[in-house]
Amino acid sequence: MAVVLTVGPAGDRERCQRRTHRRGDEAARPRGKPAPVSECQLVRRQSTTRPVRAFGGVGRGSQSVDVLLIMAENPPPLDAASLLNVDLSLLPPLVNGDGTQVILVQVNPGETFTIRREDGQLQCITGPAQVPMVSPNGSVPPIYVPPGYVSQVIEENGVRRVLVLPQQPEFHPGSHPPMHPHPYMPAFLHPPVLPHPQHQMYSPGPGDVATQYVPQHHPPHSYADQESHPSHWRSNFIHRDERTSKAYDRLQKKLKDRQANGPKDKISSPPSSPHKCHLVSPNSEQNEESTHGTSTGMVKNKQDGKMQGTPHIDTEMFDEDTDTKGLEAFLSSVSKPVVSDIQARTVVLTWAPPSTTINDDADSSVLPKPCSYEAAISNSGKDKFKVAYTGKEVNITLQDLKPATDYQARVQAVCNLIRGAPSEPESFTTLCSEPDTPMSPRIINKTKHSLNLQWKATCDNGSKVTSYTLEWDEGKGSNEFSQCYSGLQKQFKVTKLSPATGYRFKLAARNDLGMSGFSEEVLFYTTGSVPPTPASPQLVKAGVTWLSIRWSKPSGTLSDEGICYILEMEDETSGYGFKPKYDGEDLACTIKNLRRSSTYKFRVIAYNSEGKSSPGEVMEFTTCPDIPGSPTKPSVKGKIHAHNLKIIWDPPKDNGGSTITKYVVEISEGANGNKWDMVYNGATREHVCDHLNPGCIYQLRVYCISEGGQSPVSETLQVQTPAVPPGPCQPPRLVGKPRAREIQLRWGHPPMIGGSQVINYRLEMSASDLNDPKEVYEGPDMECTVSSLLPGRMYGFRLQAANKAGYGPYSEKYEISTAAGCPDQCKPPQVACKTATCVQISWTTPAGNGADVTEYRLEWGAVEGVMQICYCGSGLNYEVKGLLPATTYFCRVQALNVAGAGPFSDVVLCMTPASVPAAVSFLQVVDEDQLDMPLDSLSTCLAIRWEEPRDHGSEITSYSLDFGDRQPIMVDRSTSHVMQNLQPDTTYRIRVQAVNSIGPGPFSHTIKAKTKPLPPEPPRLECVAFSHQTLKLKWGEGTAKALASDAMQYVLQMEDKNGRYSTLYRGPCHTYKVQRLSESASYRFKIQACNEAGEGPFSEVYTFTTTKSPPPPLKAPRLEQLKENVCDLTWEALPVMKGDPVVYSVQAMVGKDSEFKQIYKGPETTFQVSNLQLNCEYRFRVCAIRQCRDIQGFHDLMGPYSATVILYSQRNETPASNSKDTTEVTTTAQTLSDEQCAALILALFAIVSILIAFIVQYFVIK
């Protein structure tokens, strides 16, 4: 077999042409059987030669590399192949045309090309064919040479070939010089020539050349680099999955069958032709000898250049390929799926993930990785699988399967875009089920009284169809169906039907497992007679270019009869007669694209399957006229007056096909034209617009109306009327109230401004003492103030406005009177004191100045400059109450009338007489910490304090204290007092009053005060728990935990070395734990209780003693295996503890489920364990024991046990000899100490904190 590889510029793809030729001894194998072909893999290399033209169908500007494989009759095993170190100097990638680079494998007719696919399976392709070859990483894959073969690289006319030949010592055509692995290609190549000279050993076929072009190339020179690669480098390529191995076994069997029919001495004799095809293993371990290669063509060089090969191997590419192959081998170990819970349309598939162990010599670097799975099924009996599931689950349920169908299922693992080989397929058959829903029946014949229906057989889903059920609605048109046929026939004739009637049918199939669903409903009609002549059409609505026409069914027809209608129209102007415009089942139609205001004739014809009726009555309908065009822009005729004008206009150019009936004139006031009013409606084309306002802008427009509708409005005419003098103004009005000396007037715009803005106003005044009116104001303002008037006089005013056209008429006269004056100043009021808190004030009436006094105002205050109104009214006296005794007050009075307020009178001073003291306003109980002198007892004494009240003109002499049923206490002028000899824990109501020379004042408010209870007694102190370093003390009754705000507090004190007591605890709790004490020592304590009443006495002294401390924990003992069943235990020694000796206890446990038993107790720090059982697990631990001496004698105080050490003895036998049993000793790792655990936790916490800070910084802040 000859393989021609043609490489051209193509990015990441290559083209490989594999040509398989028959030579010489083709009779050695049966005709028609394809010769198995080995796996072809190539290594891509760079070169520096010029582009050449390659043979085999590759475009210009490419290069050629031929790999000629001549295989042996008996190939080596598949896993014995080795990598061929082919160092090819290929042309550099050149971009021409579409810039592609392809490798094709050409298979000749009658030959078979076998390749390995990405899923690991072998695929055989029978020629003639061209197979595209694309490597996964864009480079040419490596070529493998089986053992017993040699290879040779030759170059001929710019074509470099690789020959793989069987090693034959007898075959040495040594007439050719050796070919070095790195030759230079010629600068210019000749056109392709295909010579066919005879050879002394075989007859060349197409594409072969003479023997002078086959130089000899010995393996020491050609494959020096190949020997440098160790065999373990390709360990991953040797392993194949089970399916690939089976395929290879089948190929081996075919080869043996072919060899059984041929000569028996093929193995020892040299081949008669180098091109004979043999089966070659995909891999080989070594190459022993090279033979000859032949050139299959010549190419022409387009440019000058040289090609130089570089014999090196990219080791990084090999490592990457090794990892990929290892991962493929791992993924290929996925298990065969297990089928369960098989139903008619569902099945459950379960499989195991790929195993991490592939072979004993597998690459240890290939580790299991998370992967996904593709489950594929096939029901065709061929290798046409369809992926039904993709995911990471290993237990899936496949749905939507076909019942009673044979399926094959397989699983393929995928990881990082690398696919393993599919697993072996698992076959299963789904259960049978009810039939599929059949197709709707079809009609094959119909008459007036029968319908003949036929249907196709449906899929029975594994169980034979027993009957078909046909149901119909009996022509009622409802959803109620009844059965009209049931049987195995696939057609049925329904008889006794009504003519021209529609019937609906549906079909279902039944087998032993149930009934299928019904098919879609179908409607069939029976035949009838020719329909009668329909009635004449009617006009529904007419438009300008369309007519909407309707008609009714012919009389005597059924409502559901299948009748269609033809609507014909005749246009008399066309001269073609009636032509159809509509054909269908509807009873209405709209005819469009007609002429406006035109008459058309219509008639209707009914027809069905039996024929057509006679045409109906002819009707004439006329389209509507179109709307007319807009009239011309109106124009003014004559002079524009202030209140009217005359306009004229012309008719529109297009009247829309009908006569103009009337014109409409619209007018809008203002320049914007927002609101339009109709002012004329008639047939004439002129109009006088009256009732206009002077000096205003008006807009006018016209539109017309005809039978076709309303036309668009014309262009707008804008005019402005001339202005006139303004009309009479409204009389001026008073602003505010009239004053005695002046009046303020205000007015507005005149109602009629005359079409121009008002620019000036004139105000005229008249009075009884004036002979002629007097002008008091002229200007543009609309208000003025008229001054220098007399109080109480009547005046008349009138107003006149002017614009650019002149002054208008005067307004009506407005008369108004000036106001009166304010009253005179009042005389000083008279003041008389009735009591110490009440005063009587009186005053007289002043002059009114033209108006009566209506009101008086009295101001009163304790400060002369700050007085407030205390009375407003018409009275001449007032009584002021609620005054303070012995206090000076000031007052004054003022008179008011309609004109306003007069001036105040002079200020009058008065003083109220003295009285009893006022009530004490502030009274409180004083705390002990606020007193200068401490109280004798808080349980029998209360201290109170108050503020001195006002004496009301007489000095306070004493105070009276009232605190319940007891006699009041009289105290001097002091504002505090200590009440003694009171009852403990008692509440008192206390109040105080002041006394002066006039008498006692009122009592103050009452306060409540309570004496405190007596201090508490100390509780009993007891020790509830003790150890060698701590004593837990308890006192009183209550919970161990209490709030700091509790009323009862406790003080615990302990005696120190100097005999002094110091406080250990102060708080509300009832327990306290004394720590960091010495062992076997006595301590003295006393306790005291405190509450809000004070501190109680201390208790008696209590003495408590600590115990002796146990020994500290020991480290795990050290284990030393002495003999087969003897071991030595050693542990650390502890010093004597305060004179007490220390002994040790050793415990052992056999197996895992037993208990520890003591095997030694004594002062020694080593112990030898003997009589150990083989294949048994032992656990040892040790603890220290302190032997304490007291009055009763010695007693043991045990410390904690050490960590456990494990001894496992096992007998091991070597293959060389029967040696004695060996014992394996395993010790557990010692547990971490407290310091190590704390350090580990601290380190973990620091790492977590850093991670959280980084996440917050990166995701939250940024």
Side-chain angles (χ1 to χ4, degrees):
M1 175 181 293
V3 180
V4 181
L5 308 180
T6 305
V7 182
D12 291 334
R13 296 179 299 167
E14 296 85 6
R15 172 172 298 172
C16 170
Q17 294 184 346
R18 168 171 291 191
R19 296 180 177 176
T20 308
H21 307 283
R22 299 181 181 179
R23 292 293 183 266
D25 300 332
E26 285 188 345
R29 58 179 175 86
R31 180 175 297 274
K33 281 192 176 183
V37 182
S38 64
E39 175 179 294
C40 175
Q41 300 193 23
L42 310 174
V43 180
R44 184 178 179 179
R45 290 292 179 265
Q46 299 293 331
S47 65
T48 59
T49 60
R50 299 285 183 176
V52 298
R53 177 177 177 85
F55 68 95
V58 182
R60 301 174 65 90
S62 61
Q63 60 184 359
S64 299
V65 178
D66 293 357
V67 180
L68 189 63
L69 304 181
I70 300 178
M71 308 304 174
E73 287 287 335
N74 295 325
L78 183 64
D79 56 357
S82 61
L83 176 65
L84 170 62
N85 182 14
V86 182
D87 192 359
L88 301 179
S89 297
L90 304 183
L91 293 176
L94 300 177
V95 179
N96 67 343
D98 57 352
T100 60
Q101 183 177 359
V102 184
I103 291 183
L104 295 177
V105 176
Q106 179 173 336
V107 185
N108 291 336
E111 298 297 327
T112 301
F113 176 58
T114 305
I115 61 173
R116 179 197 293 273
R117 300 189 306 190
E118 291 183 357
D119 55 3
Q121 298 185 8
L122 297 178
Q123 181 178 357
C124 297
I125 301 174
T126 304
Q130 280 191 348
V131 184
M133 299 287 288
V134 179
S135 63
N137 55 5
S139 61
V140 182
I143 301 176
Y144 299 97
V145 178
Y149 286 78
V150 293
S151 60
Q152 181 172 333
V153 180
I154 65 173
E155 177 186 350
E156 185 66 32
N157 296 332
V159 178
R160 177 165 293 191
R161 302 165 180 261
V162 178
L163 274 70
V164 181
L165 305 174
Q167 181 180 2
Q168 298 295 340
E170 296 82 6
F171 182 62
H172 292 290
S175 60
H176 308 285
M179 179 74 178
H180 293 283
H182 314 299
Y184 288 93
M185 296 183 64
F188 297 93
L189 301 179
H190 301 283
V193 179
L194 298 177
H196 302 281
Q198 298 294 328
H199 191 270
Q200 58 182 353
M201 299 187 65
Y202 62 91
S203 175
D208 292 333
V209 296
T211 56
Q212 61 266 21
Y213 297 105
V214 187
Q216 184 179 2
H217 188 62
H218 298 282
H221 303 283
S222 301
Y223 299 99
D225 294 342
Q226 180 182 357
E227 299 174 358
S228 62
H229 296 283
S231 60
H232 68 81
W233 181 85
R234 298 191 59 259
S235 59
N236 290 331
F237 296 97
I238 299 175
H239 308 303
R240 293 291 184 267
D241 61 328
E242 184 178 358
R243 184 175 180 84
T244 306
S245 301
K246 289 183 179 180
Y248 176 72
D249 294 341
R250 289 195 296 269
L251 295 177
Q252 289 279 45
K253 185 177 179 181
K254 290 181 181 180
L255 179 62
K256 291 180 181 179
D257 294 342
R258 189 188 68 178
Q259 291 175 349
N261 299 328
K264 302 301 181 179
D265 56 349
K266 286 286 183 179
I267 300 177
S268 58
S269 61
S272 60
S273 173
H275 294 275
K276 185 175 179 59
C277 298
H278 303 280
L279 177 66
V280 179
S281 172
N283 302 321
S284 62
E285 290 293 327
Q286 60 184 357
N287 297 319
E288 296 178 358
E289 185 178 0
S290 63
T291 59
H292 307 286
T294 60
S295 174
T296 58
M298 301 175 63
V299 295
K300 182 177 180 180
N301 192 2
K302 296 290 183 178
Q303 300 177 0
D304 294 340
K306 296 181 180 180
M307 183 172 67
Q308 180 179 2
T310 306
H312 67 278
I313 295 178
D314 192 350
T315 57
E316 294 182 359
M317 182 185 66
F318 290 158
D319 293 340
E320 181 180 357
D321 196 21
T322 302
D323 296 340
T324 303
K325 291 295 182 178
L327 183 56
E328 288 180 358
F330 164 71
L331 297 176
S332 301
S333 63
V334 65
S335 65
K336 178 181 180 181
V338 178
V339 180
S340 61
D341 191 15
I342 302 176
Q343 302 295 330
R345 288 178 171 83
T346 61
V347 70
V348 177
L349 294 182
T350 307
W351 61 86
S355 175
T356 56
T357 303
I358 303 173
N359 281 328
D360 294 339
D361 57 347
D363 191 357
S364 61
S365 63
V366 179
L367 298 177
K369 301 178 180 178
C371 57
S372 58
Y373 305 94
E374 291 185 356
I377 59 174
S378 173
N379 61 349
S380 61
K382 302 178 182 179
D383 291 340
K384 295 182 179 179
F385 284 85
K386 181 179 180 181
V387 176
Y389 166 78
T390 301
K392 296 184 179 181
E393 301 293 334
V394 296
N395 189 321
I396 62 172
T397 300
L398 299 181
Q399 300 181 358
D400 300 331
L401 302 179
K402 296 181 181 179
T405 305
D406 295 332
Y407 283 95
Q408 288 184 335
R410 70 183 187 185
V411 180
Q412 186 177 14
V414 182
C415 179
N416 293 336
L417 302 179
I418 298 177
R419 299 175 180 269
S423 66
E424 294 186 10
E426 174 68 16
S427 301
F428 64 92
T429 303
T430 54
L431 303 181
C432 301
S433 68
E434 66 275 2
D436 289 345
T437 302
M439 301 284 290
S440 300
R442 61 186 181 89
I443 189 167
I444 59 177
N445 188 20
K446 66 178 179 178
T447 64
K448 290 184 179 181
H449 302 287
S450 65
L451 293 173
N452 197 354
L453 306 180
Q454 187 181 35
W455 55 87
K456 294 183 179 180
T458 185
C459 181
D460 57 6
N461 290 336
S463 178
K464 185 178 180 180
V465 176
T466 58
S467 64
Y468 292 94
T469 300
L470 180 67
E471 292 188 356
W472 67 325
D473 65 347
E474 300 180 358
K476 300 178 181 178
S478 62
N479 291 329
E480 296 181 359
F481 285 79
S482 61
Q483 179 176 324
C484 64
Y485 171 74
S486 178
L488 284 173
Q489 298 297 327
K490 297 182 182 61
Q491 67 178 12
F492 179 69
K493 184 175 183 180
V494 187
T495 59
K496 299 180 181 180
L497 305 180
S498 300
T501 305
Y503 296 89
R504 291 191 295 170
F505 298 89
K506 60 182 181 179
L507 182 67
R510 182 185 298 273
N511 61 7
D512 295 337
L513 298 179
M515 184 175 179
S516 70
F518 279 95
S519 65
E520 296 183 0
E521 299 177 6
V522 291
L523 177 64
F524 300 121
Y525 285 90
T526 55
T527 60
S529 60
V530 175
T533 302
S536 59
Q538 298 178 0
L539 179 64
V540 178
K541 190 175 182 181
V544 177
T545 60
W546 54 271
L547 291 172
S548 180
I549 302 173
R550 68 180 179 185
W551 56 90
S552 59
K553 285 190 174 183
S555 60
T557 59
L558 300 178
S559 59
D560 58 349
E561 185 176 358
I563 300 178
C564 297
Y565 303 92
I566 298 175
L567 178 65
E568 295 181 342
M569 184 189 75
E570 180 185 11
D571 185 3
E572 295 181 352
T573 59
S574 64
Y576 293 111
F578 283 94
K579 300 185 73 65
K581 290 295 182 180
Y582 170 77
D583 188 350
E585 298 180 355
D586 295 335
L587 298 176
C589 175
T590 300
I591 309 300
K592 300 180 180 179
N593 300 325
L594 304 180
R595 298 188 306 276
R596 69 182 184 183
S597 190
S598 301
T599 302
Y600 298 89
K601 295 181 179 180
F602 295 92
R603 67 182 183 182
V604 180
I605 301 175
Y607 72 94
N608 58 10
S609 59
E610 303 300 328
K612 293 184 178 180
S613 68
S614 300
E617 183 182 355
V618 177
M619 299 295 295
E620 292 185 355
F621 304 120
T622 304
T623 56
C624 298
D626 200 357
I627 61 175
S630 60
T632 61
K633 179 180 179 181
S635 60
V636 178
K637 183 178 181 181
K639 183 180 178 181
I640 300 176
H641 301 280
H643 298 283
N644 59 74
L645 59 87
K646 186 177 183 179
I647 60 172
I648 60 174
W649 61 89
D650 294 332
K653 297 180 181 179
D654 181 14
N655 61 2
S658 61
T659 305
I660 303 299
T661 58
K662 61 181 177 180
Y663 294 92
V664 177
V665 178
E666 291 182 340
I667 189 170
S668 175
E669 184 176 357
N672 296 329
N674 296 328
K675 182 180 179 182
W676 293 87
D677 298 324
M678 185 176 64
V679 295
Y680 172 72
N681 187 354
T684 61
R685 297 197 303 275
E686 64 179 19
H687 175 66
V688 176
C689 300
D690 51 4
H691 304 291
L692 304 180
N693 295 324
C696 292
I697 297 176
Y698 291 93
Q699 297 189 44
L700 297 101
R701 64 185 184 183
V702 183
Y703 64 87
C704 59
I705 299 175
S706 67
E707 186 180 352
Q710 177 180 318
S711 72
V713 296
S714 65
E715 295 184 21
T716 302
L717 171 64
Q718 182 172 327
V719 295
Q720 183 176 8
T721 57
V724 296
C729 297
Q730 295 291 336
R733 61 183 182 273
L734 179 66
V735 179
K737 295 181 179 180
R739 299 182 182 181
R741 300 291 181 179
E742 62 181 22
I743 294 175
Q744 186 176 4
L745 300 176
R746 181 180 299 171
W747 55 88
H749 292 286
M752 301 294 295
I753 63 175
S756 178
Q757 296 294 329
V758 176
I759 59 177
N760 202 15
Y761 293 95
R762 183 184 296 169
L763 182 64
E764 186 180 78
M765 182 184 69
S766 63
S768 59
D769 57 349
L770 296 178
N771 297 326
D772 296 326
K774 177 183 178 182
E775 183 180 332
V776 295
Y777 173 75
E778 182 178 4
D781 296 335
M782 290 187 292
E783 67 177 12
C784 73
T785 301
V786 183
S787 59
S788 302
L789 304 178
L790 299 176
R793 297 292 297 272
M794 184 66 66
Y795 293 92
F797 299 91
R798 62 179 184 173
L799 185 65
Q800 184 183 27
N803 61 7
K804 64 181 182 179
Y807 275 96
Y810 278 103
S811 67
E812 296 180 359
K813 184 182 292 187
Y814 174 70
E815 294 184 350
I816 189 171
S817 176
T818 56
C822 298
D824 292 341
Q825 183 180 12
C826 295
K827 294 181 180 181
Q830 301 294 326
V831 180
C833 294
K834 288 186 175 183
T835 63
T837 58
C838 181
V839 173
Q840 180 72 31
I841 305 173
S842 60
W843 56 87
T844 59
T845 303
N849 291 331
D852 295 335
V853 176
T854 58
E855 185 180 359
Y856 296 96
R857 293 178 182 175
L858 176 64
E859 288 189 352
W860 181 271
V863 180
E864 182 177 1
V866 182
M867 290 182 289
Q868 296 179 352
I869 297 175
C870 63
Y871 171 73
C872 288
S874 58
L876 297 176
N877 58 72
Y878 180 70
E879 187 175 308
V880 183
K881 299 179 180 180
L883 302 179
L884 296 177
T887 305
T888 301
Y889 291 95
F890 302 88
C891 65
R892 62 182 182 178
V893 69
Q894 180 187 38
L896 292 85
N897 62 5
V898 294
F904 278 97
S905 66
D906 296 336
V907 177
V908 176
L909 181 145
C910 70
M911 184 173 183
T912 57
S915 178
V916 295
V920 175
S921 60
F922 177 76
L923 178 65
Q924 69 172 3
V925 179
V926 182
D927 295 335
E928 183 182 7
D929 55 354
Q930 297 179 357
L931 297 175
D932 298 336
M933 296 293 292
L935 299 178
D936 296 338
S937 175
L938 296 178
S939 302
T940 59
C941 298
L942 285 175
I944 59 175
R945 179 186 301 167
W946 64 88
E947 290 183 356
E948 182 178 354
R950 292 188 297 271
D951 56 4
H952 287 170
S954 179
E955 185 178 0
I956 296 175
T957 58
S958 62
Y959 293 94
S960 175
L961 298 179
D962 181 23
F963 57 99
D965 298 338
R966 296 189 179 185
Q967 186 70 22
I969 302 174
M970 299 300 296
V971 298
D972 54 6
R973 295 188 58 185
S974 175
T975 58
S976 62
H977 181 69
V978 177
M979 303 171 62
Q980 299 180 353
N981 300 324
L982 302 178
Q983 296 296 327
D985 198 15
T986 304
T987 302
Y988 293 91
R989 299 172 63 88
I990 304 171
R991 60 181 183 172
V992 64
Q993 67 177 167
V995 181
N996 61 5
S997 59
I998 299 176
F1003 277 100
S1004 66
H1005 63 281
T1006 303
I1007 63 172
K1008 292 182 180 181
K1010 184 179 181 181
T1011 57
K1012 294 184 179 180
L1014 297 174
E1017 294 294 329
R1020 183 176 180 276
L1021 186 65
E1022 58 183 358
C1023 182
V1024 296
F1026 54 87
S1027 66
H1028 65 282
Q1029 289 183 338
T1030 61
L1031 291 173
K1032 186 174 183 181
L1033 305 180
K1034 181 180 179 183
W1035 58 87
E1037 298 296 334
T1039 59
K1041 295 183 179 180
L1043 299 176
S1045 60
D1046 291 350
M1048 187 67 71
Q1049 302 284 325
Y1050 300 95
V1051 178
L1052 178 65
Q1053 294 185 351
M1054 184 182 72
E1055 184 182 19
D1056 56 10
K1057 297 180 180 180
N1058 299 326
R1060 294 176 298 182
Y1061 284 89
S1062 59
T1063 301
L1064 294 179
Y1065 169 76
R1066 179 186 294 271
C1069 297
H1070 292 265
T1071 60
Y1072 182 74
K1073 188 174 183 180
V1074 187
Q1075 300 180 355
R1076 305 177 71 176
L1077 303 178
S1078 301
E1079 64 171 334
S1080 186
S1082 297
Y1083 296 90
R1084 295 163 61 86
F1085 302 92
K1086 63 180 180 178
I1087 193 169
Q1088 177 191 34
C1090 306
N1091 61 6
E1092 58 182 3
E1095 297 180 353
F1098 275 97
S1099 66
E1100 60 178 336
V1101 177
Y1102 296 89
T1103 303
F1104 303 107
T1105 305
T1106 56
T1107 62
K1108 291 187 177 183
S1109 62
L1114 299 177
K1115 296 182 180 179
R1118 294 183 296 275
L1119 184 63
E1120 182 180 358
Q1121 184 75 24
L1122 300 179
K1123 296 181 181 180
E1124 188 175 283
N1125 56 353
V1126 178
C1127 68
D1128 194 1
L1129 291 175
T1130 304
W1131 57 88
E1132 60 179 344
L1134 295 180
V1136 177
M1137 303 180 65
K1138 293 189 177 181
D1140 295 335
V1142 177
V1143 297
Y1144 306 95
S1145 173
V1146 180
Q1147 290 186 349
M1149 181 176 66
V1150 182
K1152 295 183 178 180
D1153 299 332
S1154 60
E1155 297 179 354
F1156 279 97
K1157 296 181 180 179
Q1158 180 173 310
I1159 60 176
Y1160 169 75
K1161 181 178 181 181
E1164 301 297 333
T1165 59
T1166 181
F1167 178 72
Q1168 189 177 81
V1169 184
S1170 59
N1171 299 325
L1172 297 176
Q1173 302 178 7
L1174 298 179
N1175 296 329
C1176 187
E1177 182 180 281
Y1178 288 87
R1179 298 174 182 265
F1180 301 97
R1181 65 181 183 180
V1182 62
C1183 73
I1185 301 175
R1186 179 179 179 180
Q1187 294 183 342
C1188 303
R1189 180 180 301 175
D1190 53 8
I1191 301 176
Q1192 290 81 10
F1194 286 96
H1195 69 276
D1196 294 342
L1197 185 61
M1198 298 183 63
Y1201 278 95
S1202 66
T1204 304
V1205 64
I1206 301 175
L1207 171 66
Y1208 183 74
S1209 59
Q1210 181 179 4
R1211 173 175 298 176
N1212 296 328
E1213 295 182 0
T1214 59
S1217 62
N1218 297 328
S1219 61
K1220 294 183 180 181
D1221 298 339
T1222 60
T1223 302
E1224 180 183 357
V1225 180
T1226 306
T1227 60
T1228 60
Q1230 296 184 2
T1231 59
L1232 297 176
S1233 63
D1234 294 342
E1235 293 79 2
Q1236 294 173 341
C1237 291
L1240 180 60
I1241 293 174
L1242 184 61
L1244 292 177
F1245 178 75
I1247 294 173
V1248 172
S1249 301
I1250 294 173
L1251 290 177
I1252 293 175
F1254 174 76
I1255 293 173
V1256 171
Q1257 174 73 19
Y1258 187 77
F1259 292 101
V1260 177
I1261 298 178
K1262 291 187 177 181

